[in-house]
Amino acid sequence: MDFKQNYFELFQLPIAYQVDSHRLNDAYRELQTQIHPDRYAQGSEAEKLSSVQASSFVNEAYQTLKSSVSRARYLVELAGVAIDLSATTIADGAFLMQQMELREELEDASHSADPEKLLEKIAQQVHDNLADLVRSFSALSEPWDFNDLNVESVGQGAQLVYQMKFLEKLSIEIENIEQSLLD
Amino acid sequence: MALLQIAEPGKSAAPHQRRIAVGIDLGTTNSLVAAVRSGVSEVLADEQGRFLLPSIVHYNEDGGVELGYNAAEKANQDPLNTIASAKRLMGKGFDEVAQMQAYELVSGPSQLAAFRTRAGDKTPLEIAAEILKSLVNRAEQSLGDEVNGAVITVPAYFDDTQRQATKDAATLAGINVLRLLNEPTAAAVAYGLDHQASGIHAIYDLGGGTFDISILNLSKGVFEVLATGGDTALGGDDFDLLIVQWIASQADYENLNVQQHRYVSAVAKAAKESLAEAATVNVELNEFGLQWQGELTRDQMNELIDPVIRRTLRACKKTLRDSGVDVSGIEQVVMVGGSTRVLSVRDQVGALFQSEPLVSIDPDRVVAMGAAIQADILIGNRPDSEMLLLDVLPLSLGIETVGGLSEKIIPRNTTLPVSRAQEFTTYQDGQVMMSIHVLQGEREMVQDCRSLAKFTLKDIPPAVAGAAKIRVAFQVDADGLLTVSAQELTTQKTTQVEVKPSFGLEEVEIRRMLQESFANAAEDAAARALREIQVDGQRLLDALDAAIAEDGKLLSESETLSLQTEMDALRVLVAGEQKTDLERAIAHLNKSSEAFAAARMNASIEVALTGKSIDSLE
């Protein structure tokens, strides 16, 4: 299967952080309509396998481009900088300080009288911070020319991605705590 | 027997000949079969005009098997040989369900729970196979033709083992499974196509023993599941049990025996059903040594069952969060499953979703009807259908890591099909083997997740710790079933994977069951196995004939010739009885048609994106 093309090419979108979500959705649906395993229920085993692989690839591509965090990561990796989450190093001291404070608040919230209200406040904070990072990344990557990449700018982009992933993880933790309060 | 028709060799079935496919709702309490006739999906009735088949199997003293209403009649007199609600135990290990009341349970093959009956130990899978066979028979009688394939529904929240058990049951029943379809998605199909619905819908499906909630986005024939949740051990049976406990405490009965318990359950169920219409109901016990009379009001019942309803509402809230949609974004909530007849359920669900629940299609029939529509499409009767079902993985898949923790590899609510790969390395010098424990569930600790399988990777080239790189690929198909493969990356050698399902049957077990089920039948298992392979061969030939007719231009002359030569050889073998040769030829042809399949897929992607037909791409 010829899946060497990148996710943007797959959906015939320009390689850029800003994505036209209507075009992405339409292209995704059009592709799945053609290749989904339901279209090959009467096919040979080879066709069924081929369809599952192609359909999985298209799903993965779609999910990656749909989320603003994973799209940023994908773009940085496409620009040649691998993101290794097991060895994250965040250089931004102010960001780290802010995160430590948020974590402390989260710790306190679980033991407070009205945890749900506090959790919601922290979740909102995380959400806002994430939105800021998305804006920064968008501005940073705007001038990227994939034929002539500015290595330093891409490196800064990678730093932003690490920060986004950091916040994403925190928001999953908040959700888990909220969930345990519901149960 | 539900086997496919085999066209005479050389005369493959005409491409546009209508084929028969059914939708089967294999329920905890009742099962149904539906088919599309003259463009309309309808549930098929038995000779007495009854649509439901109680999911009950009775093994009688003469060595025979009775089903449905006939079996239900035996439930009180012979409870241990009359199995109901077997779906609750599908794919469950003996240790997990040993406390289940009302039956004598034993540890069957692969530590699966099995019912001890006079006909031997029966796994839930074998019980399900009896029900499936009976439904297919009903369909063949009713439609006057052989059934070519079926879509079988499962609770959306079924995990991998429960899905696999359902598929194995169908294999045992000799059914060609076109797809396992999630029950709420099936209901959405029936409603969506009927009502031209669009927007975001919630499907609340409370059956006899399972509960599902799915949030779907419907638009122009595309059914995209955004999130799904539920509980596979929660349903109307729990309402009944709470009413039984109330009766027992009112009547001062402490220890009911199996027979008495069954009897009181039936009385409780009847009382619950009456309260959907009446405000009070008279409850009377006068059999099996029990003598009591009392009154149950609807308000009293609502109070009794409220904890169960609340549990379903909690799951709804959680799933809504997962879907990223808030209540105001829900266009409509659809009620599915017999237990949604309980008025308090409708009221509370309506209140949660702030809209009047949709009940215009019979909640018992809607799932089978939706499944029949998809079956009709999958079998190829509606080539112009634009319908597309995009379902999700209900529970996260992960692997065991150091410290007994589960590391998620594919999170829940990921759109299917999906494939993900993870790289592993050795932690000791010279290590040549590695064990991987695959888990399903949301919790952090391994023991809180469901164990799916243990894999042993062998023949890893010995090297210093951390040097070997093993890539393990997880693939979940459109049925929600997982397969795992592994490759050693430094040598590019595909590493041998030994699959040991934690709670699943190995193929040899299914063969053995098949053999047993033929003990009293005219046809023997070997003959059936041959016929099934002949059918497989014919199906492959048909598929390739159709593919060549459509996209033969993607092949070179010599490729076409070599494919045709192999196909001609297979045609001869399909008509013969050389099982081994036939199997080998099928496997070979599958292999040699891979490149063609891949080329067709790539061409399809081109077509999708450019809107051009394949002809104009040359």
Side-chain angles (χ1 to χ4, degrees):
Chain A
M1 189 120 318
D2 179 26
F3 288 139
K4 287 182 200 76
Q5 54 188 328
N6 75 52
Y7 295 167
F8 293 98
E9 285 167 9
L10 179 70
F11 296 113
Q12 301 205 315
L13 294 164
I15 304 178
Y17 190 58
Q18 290 299 332
V19 162
D20 179 340
S21 62
H22 286 292
R23 274 183 67 188
L24 175 62
N25 286 339
D26 287 350
Y28 169 68
R29 287 175 171 210
E30 193 48 52
L31 276 169
Q32 286 295 12
T33 302
Q34 295 290 333
I35 62 173
H36 192 272
D38 281 0
R39 291 281 172 269
Y40 293 88
Q42 297 305 305
S44 64
E45 289 307 312
E47 279 180 334
K48 286 181 181 170
L49 184 68
S50 207
S51 149
V52 168
Q53 287 169 343
S55 184
S56 300
F57 181 82
V58 169
N59 274 333
E60 184 74 33
Y62 177 65
Q63 297 303 333
T64 303
L65 295 196
K66 206 170 70 162
S67 135
S68 47
V69 174
S70 57
R71 189 169 66 247
R73 176 183 182 167
Y74 185 69
L75 205 63
V76 165
E77 299 206 306
L78 212 55
V81 176
I83 300 288
D84 180 3
L85 293 173
S86 62
T88 313
T89 44
I90 290 179
D92 188 330
F95 177 82
L96 284 176
M97 195 56 116
Q98 194 189 24
Q99 291 318 302
M100 265 164 60
E101 280 166 16
L102 273 174
R103 276 189 186 276
E104 270 170 32
E105 276 183 52
L106 192 58
E107 192 80 9
D108 295 341
S110 324
H111 308 293
S112 75
D114 189 0
E116 277 178 50
K117 202 174 163 198
L118 275 170
L119 283 171
E120 204 158 298
K121 193 183 138 240
I122 302 169
Q124 190 59 47
Q125 180 74 48
V126 172
H127 183 268
D128 292 347
N129 291 355
L130 200 53
D132 287 343
L133 288 173
V134 166
R135 268 191 295 276
S136 305
F137 189 90
S138 185
L140 179 77
S141 65
E142 177 87 62
W144 288 3
D145 171 2
F146 274 77
N147 295 314
D148 181 20
L149 278 164
N150 178 338
V151 180
E152 198 188 335
S153 179
V154 175
Q156 286 167 4
Q159 273 296 317
L160 290 175
V161 170
Y162 283 122
Q163 296 185 3
M164 286 178 189
K165 294 302 278 189
F166 208 89
L167 290 175
E168 207 178 49
K169 211 176 143 209
L170 193 62
S171 97
I172 291 171
E173 278 173 46
I174 296 170
E175 258 177 49
N176 286 342
I177 297 171
E178 281 181 319
Q179 191 52 51
S180 64
L181 291 174
L182 272 179
D183 287 338
Chain B
M1 186 62 43
L3 282 170
L4 294 171
Q5 288 176 303
I6 300 172
E8 209 172 305
K11 293 185 205 164
S12 63
H16 295 297
Q17 184 186 321
R18 204 182 149 73
R19 302 175 73 205
I20 307 287
V22 295
I24 295 177
D25 175 1
L26 185 61
T28 311
T29 320
N30 294 300
S31 296
L32 301 93
V33 59
V36 173
R37 279 199 280 202
S38 321
V40 179
S41 181
E42 47 186 338
V43 175
L44 306 174
D46 67 5
E47 282 163 348
Q48 281 84 41
R50 299 174 297 200
F51 293 104
L52 301 179
L53 177 75
S55 304
I56 304 176
V57 174
H58 173 66
Y59 295 96
N60 66 28
E61 283 168 354
D62 312 328
V65 182
E66 289 168 275
L67 280 116
Y69 289 103
N70 296 341
E73 286 168 15
K74 310 291 161 43
N76 284 341
Q77 309 133 29
D78 191 8
L80 293 180
N81 294 301
T82 310
I83 314 300
S85 295
K87 185 177 176 180
R88 287 198 154 200
L89 271 63
M90 279 295 249
K92 296 278 179 189
F94 173 68
D95 295 340
E96 298 175 288
V97 293
Q99 80 295 353
M100 178 154 165
Q101 299 152 321
Y103 295 105
E104 190 177 346
L105 291 177
V106 294
S107 181
S110 304
Q111 277 80 55
L112 283 171
F115 302 93
R116 177 142 288 172
T117 74
R118 66 164 63 91
D121 295 343
K122 298 289 180 186
T123 57
L125 185 157
E126 289 163 278
I127 308 283
E130 294 292 351
I131 296 165
L132 290 171
K133 263 192 263 184
S134 165
L135 291 170
V136 169
N137 277 337
R138 174 189 292 190
E140 292 183 340
Q141 301 257 311
S142 171
L143 302 167
D145 210 338
E146 273 191 277
V147 167
N148 301 112
V151 167
I152 300 175
T153 61
V154 290
Y157 216 55
F158 253 18
D159 66 24
D160 187 78
T161 36
Q162 291 168 305
R163 282 167 199 270
Q164 189 60 56
T166 306
K167 204 167 183 184
D168 290 345
T171 304
L172 194 56
I175 295 171
N176 169 31
V177 182
L178 300 167
R179 182 75 71 237
L180 295 180
L181 177 62
N182 290 331
E183 288 162 7
T185 311
V189 168
Y191 266 101
L193 298 183
D194 215 47
H195 293 65
Q196 300 288 315
S198 72
I200 296 171
H201 284 62
I203 316 286
Y204 178 99
D205 180 357
L206 188 63
T210 60
F211 168 65
D212 281 330
I213 171 76
S214 285
I215 312 290
L216 286 101
N217 186 9
L218 276 60
S219 133
K220 292 178 238 150
V222 181
F223 295 73
E224 186 184 5
V225 179
L226 302 176
T228 198
D231 191 330
T232 56
L234 189 66
D237 288 1
D238 297 289
F239 292 163
D240 300 348
L241 191 62
L242 289 163
I243 300 170
V244 168
Q245 284 165 358
W246 177 81
I247 295 174
S249 83
Q250 293 290 308
D252 229 358
Y253 291 131
E254 271 186 10
N255 292 310
L256 296 172
N257 65 29
V258 171
Q259 268 188 334
Q260 290 170 329
H261 195 274
R262 284 280 184 100
Y263 169 62
V264 182
S265 291
V267 171
K269 193 173 155 79
K272 174 188 74 180
E273 284 165 5
S274 300
L275 288 175
E277 303 283 332
T280 54
V281 64
N282 189 32
V283 182
E284 197 175 336
L285 304 178
N286 52 19
E287 277 186 68
F288 301 102
L290 302 175
Q291 202 59 239
W292 181 77
Q293 201 188 332
E295 197 174 70
L296 179 64
T297 69
R298 190 188 289 159
D299 287 346
Q300 275 175 312
M301 180 185 77
N302 287 348
E303 202 174 307
L304 289 173
I305 63 175
D306 201 53
V308 177
I309 301 178
R310 276 170 187 280
R311 272 173 70 191
T312 68
L313 298 180
R314 270 204 297 275
C316 289
K317 287 182 196 155
K318 178 173 167 245
T319 307
L320 260 178
R321 285 170 66 112
D322 282 353
S323 72
V325 177
D326 54 40
V327 167
S328 61
I330 302 285
E331 198 78 31
Q332 219 149 14
V333 52
V334 176
M335 300 301 261
V336 183
S339 303
T340 59
R341 289 209 172 81
V342 175
L343 295 176
S344 175
V345 172
R346 289 188 188 179
D347 291 346
Q348 296 200 43
V349 173
L352 175 69
F353 288 100
Q354 294 162 19
S355 75
E356 187 65 28
L358 204 57
V359 290
S360 59
I361 304 182
D362 181 340
D364 280 322
R365 298 191 200 179
V366 63
V367 167
M369 286 163 65
I373 293 169
Q374 205 209 9
D376 196 42
I377 293 171
L378 295 184
I379 202 81
N381 288 339
R382 298 190 194 183
D384 300 327
S385 163
E386 290 279 294
M387 188 173 96
L388 178 65
L389 306 188
L390 297 165
D391 224 308
V392 298
L393 180 73
L395 293 147
S396 302
L397 288 168
I399 47 144
E400 178 171 350
T401 59
V402 188
L405 294 175
S406 166
E407 185 185 323
K408 308 266 179 294
I409 300 210
I410 307 179
R412 70 169 187 271
N413 293 324
T414 301
T415 307
L416 300 179
V418 57
S419 74
R420 292 274 159 85
Q422 185 95 351
E423 279 179 26
F424 297 95
T425 189
T426 48
Y427 68 94
Q428 273 176 340
D429 289 348
Q431 188 179 340
V432 292
M433 271 168 60
M434 188 185 283
S435 283
I436 290 178
H437 188 187
V438 184
L439 304 154
Q440 191 161 28
E442 308 313 317
R443 306 281 293 277
E444 265 182 38
M445 303 299 293
V446 167
Q447 67 263 31
D448 298 325
C449 291
R450 186 152 172 80
S451 168
L452 291 188
K454 284 185 173 142
F455 299 90
T456 305
L457 307 179
K458 291 181 174 172
D459 304 332
I460 298 170
V464 291
K469 274 206 168 49
I470 290 116
R471 187 173 184 273
V472 180
F474 295 76
Q475 170 81 62
V476 184
D477 64 17
D479 292 329
L481 292 172
L482 170 73
T483 46
V484 180
S485 60
Q487 197 178 34
E488 209 291 310
L489 292 177
T490 50
T491 58
Q492 289 298 317
K493 188 179 149 197
T494 301
T495 313
Q496 192 189 341
V497 182
E498 263 180 32
V499 187
K500 214 178 152 4
S502 306
F503 301 99
L505 293 181
E506 316 214 359
E507 198 153 341
V508 38
E509 281 294 340
I510 297 174
R511 284 283 149 214
R512 182 190 58 75
M513 286 177 182
L514 199 54
Q515 193 78 49
E516 277 177 13
S517 74
F518 279 105
N520 301 315
E523 189 188 21
D524 75 316
R528 181 173 136 185
L530 174 65
R531 274 180 58 191
E532 281 183 356
I533 291 160
Q534 288 171 330
V535 169
D536 281 349
Q538 189 57 51
R539 215 180 275 147
L540 174 58
L541 288 168
D542 288 349
L544 282 173
D545 276 333
I548 291 172
E550 212 174 302
D551 293 329
K553 50 195 134 359
L554 296 171
L555 292 166
S556 73
E557 234 171 86
S558 66
E559 285 167 333
T560 312
L561 188 65
S562 91
L563 214 50
Q564 288 289 9
T565 312
E566 254 191 78
M567 286 168 69
D568 288 341
L570 182 58
R571 271 186 242 280
V572 175
L573 285 167
V574 161
E577 297 193 340
Q578 298 302 316
K579 184 165 161 269
T580 332
D581 289 353
L582 180 56
E583 280 176 312
R584 203 175 297 144
I586 291 171
H588 197 269
L589 185 52
N590 264 320
K591 189 97 196 124
S592 46
S593 63
E594 271 173 14
F596 180 38
R600 289 191 78 205
M601 211 58 60
N602 278 324
S604 292
I605 290 176
E606 289 297 320
V607 170
L609 292 173
T610 56
K612 288 181 212 149
S613 72
I614 291 180
D615 300 79
S616 57
L617 286 172
E618 288 166 89

